Amino acid sequence: MLNYIWMGMLVIGFIVGGINGKLGEVTQAAFNSSKSAVELSIGLLGILCLWTGLMGVAEKSGLISKISKIVSPLISFLFPEVSSKSPAVGAIVMNLTANFLGLGNAATPLGLKAMDELQKINRKKDTASDSMVMFLVLNTTAIQLIPATIIALRAASGSGNPAEIIIPIWITSISATIVGVIAVKVLGYAKRG
Amino acid sequence: MGILALLRGLIIIFNNFSDYTVPLIFVVILTAGIMKRVKVYDVFVDSAKEGINTIVKIIPSLVGLMVAIGVFRASGALDLIICVTKPITSIFGIPSEALPLAFLRPISGSASLALVSDLMKNYGADSFIGRVVSTMMGSTETIFYTLTVYYGSVGIKNIRHTLVAALLAEATSVLVSVWVCAFFFGR
């Protein structure tokens, strides 16, 4: 899909630029943007290293398993089909915790493991189970303790207080998660009739 | 009057709390590390290398996408979209400059990052638009990527209500980010 969007933006840009007689500016923008993409990446580098470093310490300190213990009671409400003894529970909890800490590299393998375990207890192998739908939606609304990338981006863009956005982001993603969970439960119930 | 004063008080507490969040997280994590006898500095340096890999990997896509956005904006095409969508977005109080992000966010993470950077450069990171797009960017994931990777890995073809529920959650985050930013920082 991105192939079409990318090409579309460029082609439409050149056509509209031609109509508006702005092809000079458009060309200039193309060169300037490629330069600022690299400058942006360099600007992001420091803060992102800082957070991945700190979160590495969190991982080694056993903070993932501590947080996992706190959230596990929620799991039986969100995933009623999954028995609490199933190995899926551990993978789901660890994946959500890794997402919460912003450990993207750790979260994806754990998520794939969770999907694998959920597939084992899935009755129709080509159709998503209720648990899978819930797991995916929780992953797309993932609440992050420190939204590091966006803080880095704000710092690189000259914000006076890049971290002021943390609490608004928490409130927003918690709201999105609640709506997502309700939608999964209600739509799942409606489809089963 | 009472409720208004209470809200003001909450905002002040929250804004001060923002200053404490980052130091607090540092102290908690480092203390937990020392108590577990983790060599905190060594682990920090080792893990920080991952940050470099992440950035190096996104440079090529960031160049491609920021050029596309730059061309699209300089040509006047973006202004055209903003102008057309203004009557719809103003019903919900969404700044129409932020609307393209609402459509791009579920599709591509790096494209949204490029767009957010472009918007902050043009309107300022601490403007209302800058704060709204920061909140939108930070509160949802790339839906289509997540679905493809996870369902693809176990061969699921019928995803049932996953996409509808995920998009409902995303729409919520768009609306709430506008309200929350207006509440915390004013328009």
Side-chain angles (χ1 to χ4, degrees), chain A residues 25-45:
Chain A
E25 284 102 314
V26 168
T27 311
Q28 200 56 46
F31 292 136
N32 284 342
S33 301
S34 58
K35 197 173 136 220
S36 49
V38 176
E39 287 166 359
L40 173 68
S41 310
I42 305 289
L44 292 177
L45 196 53

Side-chain angles (χ1 to χ4, degrees), chain A residues 87-153:
Chain A
V89 173
I92 290 171
V93 173
M94 301 266 280
N95 162 271
L96 295 179
T97 310
N99 268 327
F100 176 68
L101 293 176
L103 297 162
N105 291 335
T108 310
L110 288 166
L112 293 174
K113 169 100 177 96
M115 285 304 280
D116 194 45
E117 294 295 341
L118 289 175
Q119 180 71 327
K120 280 181 194 159
I121 51 175
N122 186 11
R123 285 196 207 92
K124 276 173 149 179
K125 296 295 178 198
D126 66 336
T127 305
S129 65
D130 284 358
S131 305
M132 287 177 174
V133 177
M134 181 61 82
F135 180 66
L136 266 276
V137 171
L138 286 178
N139 257 280
T140 59
T141 57
I143 299 168
Q144 265 191 45
L145 178 63
I146 299 288
T149 313
I150 194 67
I151 293 175
L153 187 60

